[in-house]
Amino acid sequence: MKYLLLAAPLALSLASGAALGQTAPAAAGHAPYRLLNTITIGGEGGWDYLNVDPAGKRLYLSHGTQVDVVDLATRKVIGTIANTPGVHGIDVVPSANRGYITCGRNNTCVVFDLTTFKTIGEPIPTGPKPDALLYDAFSKRVFLFSNAGGKTTVLNGTTGAVEGTAELEGDIEAPATDGKGHIFANVENKSEVIEFDAKTLAVRLRHKLAPGEEPTGLGFDPKNNRLFSACHNEKLIVTDSKTGKQIAVLPIGAGVDGAVFDPSTQNIVTSNGSGTFTVIHQDSPTKYTVVANMPTARGARTIALDPVSHHIFTCTADYGPAPAATTENPHPRPSIVPGTFRVLEYGK
């Protein structure tokens, strides 16, 4: 995912007519979620993925050059994993008491102890620009996805040993697993969603996402074999994971980076950096309705779902002015106000 800072207000593309199950959004006043808690984290730096560990009742936050750990019982920061330059993704293997972190700045993976938050061994070299990662309990492997060419490093989840490389041929974004040996991922630069084998690492299927472009967030409904690819041109593409058939195209907010599916509510929620969640209801496996575009906060573009509480988490900070443009950086991003980094927790 990108460290994306957005200044533009929400803009939804509302195509006229019926197209592949697309339904116009309801007003924001009908929002099905409300803000439950604001958890102040503080510190400095940008952010990317956040991840809920339901077994440990913790929330892990990528934050600059470290990972912050929040106890979901107290909503307090209880630890930090330091020295994770260019941190992007975090996932945990509770049975091994280990966590894994991708560091995009130096092309490594940091392994840490879930009890002490101390690092285990030396950082593991990865493919270029490691970004998203996923622990797949079926294969007992951790997949470290490259966002520059798709050279994905595969680790033994228990020991951290490198077990292979998946050549996925593209810039890989958010993954998902069906728990039966099939891994899915968006290919951002090719506007595809792919499936590969968790054990052989062979790519099995590639599905085009047009009219969706630059997919990032990916939700998955394993019961109905539905993939939900959130695309940067403000579209959510629903795909049958088994056949590749496109089921629906729906409008979402600007600046999307994350998407989740909650089977208890049958809601797909996309997190849009322009300051909204788009909430889409799965009326049936072939029919989807945009329920609301509800306000969150500018910059809140990543998302995590707690499968136990069904609460949704996102994070953001306040922005200051952008630095002066230079030849090397002609379009500088707005600055982040120190001490304002925070988590927003939503629920019913």
Side-chain angles (χ1 to χ4, degrees), residues 155-238:
L155 308 179
N156 181 299
T158 301
T159 66
V162 177
E163 293 192 339
T165 300
E167 299 287 353
L168 304 183
E169 299 178 6
D171 299 347
I172 306 301
E173 277 287 351
T177 175
D178 67 356
K180 300 176 182 179
H182 307 109
I183 309 294
F184 306 95
N186 286 329
V187 186
E188 186 177 20
N189 63 324
K190 295 185 176 183
S191 299
E192 296 176 340
V193 61
I194 65 170
E195 176 193 335
F196 68 96
D197 191 286
K199 292 191 174 181
T200 69
L201 307 182
V203 175
R204 298 183 69 251
L205 296 169
R206 291 182 178 271
H207 307 313
K208 293 294 184 181
L209 293 174
E213 299 174 0
E214 297 182 66
T216 54
L218 181 65
F220 182 53
D221 171 13
K223 179 181 177 181
N224 295 299
N225 305 305
R226 295 293 183 263
L227 293 161
F228 309 108
S229 296
C231 300
H232 266 274
N233 63 336
E234 299 171 40
K235 299 181 188 297
L236 181 90
I237 308 299
V238 183

Side-chain angles (χ1 to χ4, degrees), residues 99-112:
Y100 294 83
I101 300 166
T102 51
C103 302
R105 195 172 298 166
N106 61 5
N107 299 334
T108 64
C109 172
V110 168
V111 186
F112 68 96

Side-chain angles (χ1 to χ4, degrees), residues 81-347:
I81 301 102
N83 300 318
T84 60
V87 57
H88 286 286
I90 312 105
D91 209 345
V92 299
V93 184
S95 60
N97 199 42
R98 287 173 174 244
Y100 294 83
I101 300 166
T102 51
C103 302
R105 195 172 298 166
N106 61 5
N107 299 334
T108 64
C109 172
V110 168
V111 186
F112 68 96
D113 185 287
L114 298 186
T115 302
T116 66
F117 307 131
K118 292 182 179 180
T119 57
I120 299 171
E122 295 297 317
I124 301 167
T126 70
K129 292 181 65 177
D131 194 315
L133 81 167
L134 172 74
Y135 172 62
D136 172 49
F138 178 86
S139 62
K140 296 181 171 56
R141 286 174 157 180
V142 176
F143 298 87
L144 313 173
F145 294 92
S146 167
N147 191 243
K151 187 176 181 179
T152 294
T153 306
V154 182
L155 308 179
N156 181 299
T158 301
T159 66
V162 177
E163 293 192 339
T165 300
E167 299 287 353
L168 304 183
E169 299 178 6
D171 299 347
I172 306 301
E173 277 287 351
T177 175
D178 67 356
K180 300 176 182 179
H182 307 109
I183 309 294
F184 306 95
N186 286 329
V187 186
E188 186 177 20
N189 63 324
K190 295 185 176 183
S191 299
E192 296 176 340
V193 61
I194 65 170
E195 176 193 335
F196 68 96
D197 191 286
K199 292 191 174 181
T200 69
L201 307 182
V203 175
R204 298 183 69 251
L205 296 169
R206 291 182 178 271
H207 307 313
K208 293 294 184 181
L209 293 174
E213 299 174 0
E214 297 182 66
T216 54
L218 181 65
F220 182 53
D221 171 13
K223 179 181 177 181
N224 295 299
N225 305 305
R226 295 293 183 263
L227 293 161
F228 309 108
S229 296
C231 300
H232 266 274
N233 63 336
E234 299 171 40
K235 299 181 188 297
L236 181 90
I237 308 299
V238 183
T239 306
D240 185 316
S241 65
K242 289 191 175 297
T243 67
K245 179 182 178 181
Q246 199 167 102
I247 304 299
V249 179
L250 298 116
I252 58 175
V256 67
D257 213 358
V260 294
F261 173 71
D262 185 349
S264 72
T265 60
Q266 294 181 298
N267 283 338
I268 305 109
V269 183
T270 69
S271 49
N272 313 313
S274 50
T276 63
F277 284 156
T278 301
V279 183
I280 298 168
H281 188 259
Q282 184 186 66
D283 303 328
S284 75
T286 58
K287 185 176 185 299
Y288 298 81
T289 302
V290 179
V291 175
N293 287 289
M294 52 172 285
T296 54
R298 176 190 174 200
R301 58 184 174 72
T302 50
I303 191 170
L305 171 70
D306 184 338
V308 177
S309 68
H310 305 287
H311 291 179
I312 294 171
F313 298 87
T314 186
C315 52
T316 192
D318 294 340
Y319 296 116
T326 65
T327 303
E328 294 77 18
N329 186 13
H331 303 290
R333 297 168 175 173
S335 59
I336 299 171
V337 178
T340 64
F341 182 54
R342 59 194 179 273
V343 173
L344 307 177
E345 178 181 3
Y346 291 84

